[in-house]
C-alpha cells in the first residue's frame, strides 16, 4: 500500500512539472512526460489523406511557426511521421471531443473519436512547437489524454455597434480554435445596425446597416460625429464564414434581436413598430424605447427573416435576444393592448413572454431551438428555450431549476467589454472590472445547483459588446489574454487556487501573441491593489506577477527603479497619494497605478449593510464605502457598490464616541445604464446604536442639483454610530431608459469628519 502511494505521488510530480514546461492552455486533463524526444524536421511526414482538412491545417501552421514545409502523404511510414487515428467509439458514453496525443521517439500519434478530437490534439501539439525557424525541433515524449468538461465553450462578438469585416471574423474564429473554444455567438442585429443580408427584406441592409453618426468618447459625454457608418455581410460571405468555422469545429450561433434592440430593423420597416415611425438607425446606444410591435405582420416578418437565417446557419440553437425590452410603447399601443386582451395576458411582461413563445414555436417547427438572454424568464419561459444568464448567475440558476439548458455569461466574470486593468491606463470601456484572475476564478456551475440540476449548465461564454470598440486591434486587446483564462474554465481544468501557475503559462503565451501579431493587453503586469481595514486608517496591499518587482512612492511622484521597494501592505493613516509600478531589470514593465486616499473618522471602521450589493458590483463588500478611496464619477467601476432595486442601508460603528460635524456620500447617475440617483438620502446618528436621531434628509432635488455628491454639515455631535439610507429610485418610470425595470443605485465613500 505504502509503495502504491509513493508511485502515485511520483507520477503526480512528473505531471505537474510537465505542465510547467509544456505551458499548455487550456491545461489538459492528464499529461505524462517522458525522457525521450521526437525530432521534427523537414523529413517528417504528415500521414493522412491529402484532402484531410486537419492535415492541411497542421501543415500550414507548422510552416508558419517553424518554416518547415512538411509533406502530407497517405503512403504508410513507420517512422518520423505525424499520424491521425479515428477510433471507433466503443462505448455509449464516448465524448466526441476527446483526444489522445502521444509523442514517441519514432512518431507522433493523435487519436480521437472524430476529426474534432483530432483538431484539438493538433492545437495541443501546435502549442508545443516553438515559433522559430529551426532545422530540427526536439519535442518531449508525452502522453496526453484530454477532453472538455463543458459542451458550450463560447465567445460572442457584437458586430452591430461596430462592424468588423469578413476577414477579421475569420481571424476571430481562428482565435477561438487556438483555445479549443467551439461556439461563436454572432450578435448580428441591434439598434445601431443590421448586419445580415435578408433577401426578402432588402431595406434591412440598404437602410438598416447604415447610421448617420456614432458616439465619440464616453457615454456620459453624449457627443457624436456625423460620419455615415455601417456595413453588412452578404449571404455569400456568411456561407463562407460558416464553412470556415465548421472546418475549425466551431458552431456559429447567430443572434437576431427581438423584441427590443430593434431600431435598425424599424428604421428599415417602421410598419413593424407600435407608432409607425419614422426612425433613424441608432447613433446613441443604451436601451431604446422603440421595439417590435407584436402584431401578426411583425411575426410574419420575423419568421421570414429567421427562415433565411436558419438556412444559412446550421446551428442547433438560434439566439433570439430577448433582453432589455422596454414596455413603454406597448403600454400605449392599441395593437399591443388588444393582443393582451385577446390572449388573456396579465400585462406587458406577459406580452414579452407571448412574443418569445410564439417565436419559439416557429423555430421549433423548423427543428431548431431558441436561446435568449435571461429576461426571457420574465413572464414565463418558453417551453424548450435555453437561457443565457448575463445579469449575474441568478437567471441561469432559475432556468436550470426549471430544467432548461443554460449558458453562463455573467457580467461579473464574462463581460470582456469591461476594464481589465486600471481604467486610467486603458482605452474607454464599460465600467466593470474583469481582469484575467477574475475570469479564471469563474465556476460555471453555481453552488446553488444540485448535481442533477448542474447537468443543465451547457457551459459558459464571454461577451464582447463593441459600443466602445471600433477596430479589430481593439477587439483583440479586449479578448487577449482573457480568452485563455476562459478557455481553461470551460475546458474544466482551471483551478483558481493555482492562479499563479496559470499566470506563468499565460505569460509564456504572450510570445505566441507577439509572433502572430495579436494586439493583447499587458495589464497582467500592472500592479493590482486591495485595501484592508487597519488601525487608524487602511492597509494598501499591492500585487504583481512578481512580488519582488513593485516600486512605489507616497508623495505623488512617478515611481522609478530607486523608489521604495514594496515589501508589505502600506499603512495609510493620512491623506496621501500612492503610486506604484512593476519593474523588471530596472525598467517599468507596466503603467503606473495611482491611488489617492482620503482618511476620515469613518475610514476602515466597522460597517454593516441591511441589503447586500449585486454580485457584479460589490467585490469589496460594505468596506468599499469606508475604504478611504473615492470612486471616479466618470466610471462606475470597482470602487462603487451597486444595488439592484434595493436601498443602501448602512450603519457605521466608529468604535468609540467621536465628535463629528460633516458627512459626505457620493451616488451616481447614468440613466442609459439604468443607474438612477436615489430618491432621498437619510442620515441618522446614535450614541448607543439603538436610539438614532435624524441629522438630514436630502431630497431628490438636492441630490440632482449636487450631481450626486452630497455633503452635509451640522453642529458638532458626540456619537458612535452613523446610519445612512439611500432610497433606491425603484421601478423606472415610463419614458426613461429601462422603464418598468428595477433601478440601479450606485453609492461610494461615506466620509465622516
Ligand atoms: C446584454 O448585455 N444586454 C445581454
Ligand atoms: Zn404595439
Amino acid at each position: 500500500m505504502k509503495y502504491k502511494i509513493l508511485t502515485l505521488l511520483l507520477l503526480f510530480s512528473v505531471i505537474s512539472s510537465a505542465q510547467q514546461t509544456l505551458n499548455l492552455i487550456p491545461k489538459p486533463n492528464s499529461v505524462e512526460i517522458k525522457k525521450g524526444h521526437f525530432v521534427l524536421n523537414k523529413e517528417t511526414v504528415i500521414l493522412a489523406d491529402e484532402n484531410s482538412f486537419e492535415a492541411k491545417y497542421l501543415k500550414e501552421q507548422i510552416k508558419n511557426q517553424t518554416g518547415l514545409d512538411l509533406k502530407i502523404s497517405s503512403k504508410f511510414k513507420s517512422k518520423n511521421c505525424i499520424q491521425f487515428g479515428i477510433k471507433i467509439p466503443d462505448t455509449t458514453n464516448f465524448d466526441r471531443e476527446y483526444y489522445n496525443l502521444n509523442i514517441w521517439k519514432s512518431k507522433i500519434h493523435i487519436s480521437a473519436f472524430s476529426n474534432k478530437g483530432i483538431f484539438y490534439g493538433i492545437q495541443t501539439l501546435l502549442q508545443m512547437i516553438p515559433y522559430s525557424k529551426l532545422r530540427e525541433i526536439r519535442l518531449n515524449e508525452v502522453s496526453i489524454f484530454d477532453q472538455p468538461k463543458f459542451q458550450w465553450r463560447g465567445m460572442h462578438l457584437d458586430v452591430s455597434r461596430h462592424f468588423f469585416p469578413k476577414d477579421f471574423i475569420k481571424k476571430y474564429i481562428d482565435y477561438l480554435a487556438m483555445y479549443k473554444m467551439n461556439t461563436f455567438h454572432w450578435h448580428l442585429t441591434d439598434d445601431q445596425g443590421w448586419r445580415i443580408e435578408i433577401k426578402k427584406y432588402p431595406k434591412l441592409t440598404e437602410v438598416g446597416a447604415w447610421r448617420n453618426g456614432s458616439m465619440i468618447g464616453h457615454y456620459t459625454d453624449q457627443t457624436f460625429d456625423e460620419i455615415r457608418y455601417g456595413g453588412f455581410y452578404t449571404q455569400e460571405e456568411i456561407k463562407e464564414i460558416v464553412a470556415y468555422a465548421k472546418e475549425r469545429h466551431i458552431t456559429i450561433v447567430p443572434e437576431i434581436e427581438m423584441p427590443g434592440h430593434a431600431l435598425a430593423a424599424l428604421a428599415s420597416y417602421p410598419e413593424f413598430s407600435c407608432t409607425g415611425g419614422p426612425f433613424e438607425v441608432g447613433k446613441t446606444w443604451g436601451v431604446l424605447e422603440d421595439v417590435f410591435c407584436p402584431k401578426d405582420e411583425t411575426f410574419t416578418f420575423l419568421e421570414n427573416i429567421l427562415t433565411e437565417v436558419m438556412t444559412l446557419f446550421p446551428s442547433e440553437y438560434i439566439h433570439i435576444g430577448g433582453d432589455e425590452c422596454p414596455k413603454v410603447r406597448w403600454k400605449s399601443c392599441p395593437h399591443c393592448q388588444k393582443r393582451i386582451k385577446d390572449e388573456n395576458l396579465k400585462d406587458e411582461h406577459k406580452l414579452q413572454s407571448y412574443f418569445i413563445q410564439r417565436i419559439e414555436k416557429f423555430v421549433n417547427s423548423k427543428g431548431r431551438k431558441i436561446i435568449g438572454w435571461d429576461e426571457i424568464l420574465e413572464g414565463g419561459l418558453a417551453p424548450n428555450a435555453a437561457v443565457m444568464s448575463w445579469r449575474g448567475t441568478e437567471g441561469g440558476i432559475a432556468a436550470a431549476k426549471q430544467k432548461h439548458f443554460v449558458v453562463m455569461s455573467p457580467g461579473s466574470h464574462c463581460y470582456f467589454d469591461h476594464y481589465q486593468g486600471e481604467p486610467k491606463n486603458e482605452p474607454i470601456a464599460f465600467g466593470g472590472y474583469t481582469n484575467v484572475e477574475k475570469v479564471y476564478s469563474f465556476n460555471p456551475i453555481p453552488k446553488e445547483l444540485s448535481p442533477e440540476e448542474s447537468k443543465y449548465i451547457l457551459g459558459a461564454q464571454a461577451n464582447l459588446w463593441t459600443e466602445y470598440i471600433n477596430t479589430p486591434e481593439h477587439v483583440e486587446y479586449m479578448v487577449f489574454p482573457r480568452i485563455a483564462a476562459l478557455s481553461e474554465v470551460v475546458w474544466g481544468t482551471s483551478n483558481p487556487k493555482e492562479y499563479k501557475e496559470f499566470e506563468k503559462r499565460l505569460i509564456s503565451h504572450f510570445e505566441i501573441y507577439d509572433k502572430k501579431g495579436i494586439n493583447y493587453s499587458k495589464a497582467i503586469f500592472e500592479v493590482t491593489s486591495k485595501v484592508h481595514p487597519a488601525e487608524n486608517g487602511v492597509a494598501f496591499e499591492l500585487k504583481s506577477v512578481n512580488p519582488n518587482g513593485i516600486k512605489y512612492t507616497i508623495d505623488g511622484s512617478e515611481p522609478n527603479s530607486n523608489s521604495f521597494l514594496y515589501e508589505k501592505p502600506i499603512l495609510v493613516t493620512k491623506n496621501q497619494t500612492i503610486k506604484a509600478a512593476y519593474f523588471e531589470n530596472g525598467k517599468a514593465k507596466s503603467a503606473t497605478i495611482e491611488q489617492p486616499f482620503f482618511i476620515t473618522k469613518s475610514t476602515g471602521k466597522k460597517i454593516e449593510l441591511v441589503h447586500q450589493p449585486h454580485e457584479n458590483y460589490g467585490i469589496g463588500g460594505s468596506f468599499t464605502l469606508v475604504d478611504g478611496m473615492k470612486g471616479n464619477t466618470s466610471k462606475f467601476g470597482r470602487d462603487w457598490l451597486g444595488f439592484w432595486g434595493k436601498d443602501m442601508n448602512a450603519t457605521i460603528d466608529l468604535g468609540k464616541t467621536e465628535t463629528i460635524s460633516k458627512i459626505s456620500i457620493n451616488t451616481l447617475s447614468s440613466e442609459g445604464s439604468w443607474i438612477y440617483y436615489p430618491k432621498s438620502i437619510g442620515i441618522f446618528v446614535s450614541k448607543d446604536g439603538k436610539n438614532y436621531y435624524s441629522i438630514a434628509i436630502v431630497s431628490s432635488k438636492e441630490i440632482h442639483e449636487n450631481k450626486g455628491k452630497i455633503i452635509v454639515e451640522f453642529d458638532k455631535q458626540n456619537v458612535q454610530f452613523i446610519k445612512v439610507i439611500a432610497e433606491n429610485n425603484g421601478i423606472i418610470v415610463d419614458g426613461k431608459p429601462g422603464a418598468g425595470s428595477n433601478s440601479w443605485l450606485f453609492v461610494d465613500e461615506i466620509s465622516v469628519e
Side-chain angles (χ1 to χ4, degrees), residues 156 161 187 190 255 257 261 287 319 323-324 373-375 388 390-391 415 417 463 465:
H156 151 287
R161 276 54 180 266
H187 184 80
D190 214 301
E255 180 178 354
E257 268 269 24
H261 288 290
V287 176
H319 203 301
D323 61 319
E324 301 181 319
W373 302 109
D374 56 55
E375 284 92 333
M388 195 167 265
W390 71 282
R391 296 175 302 173
Y415 267 46
D417 54 342
N463 296 334
W465 302 101

Side-chain angles (χ1 to χ4, degrees), residues 317-328:
Y317 285 101
I318 301 294
H319 203 301
I320 49 78
D323 61 319
E324 301 181 319
C325 179
K327 312 292 186 291
V328 218

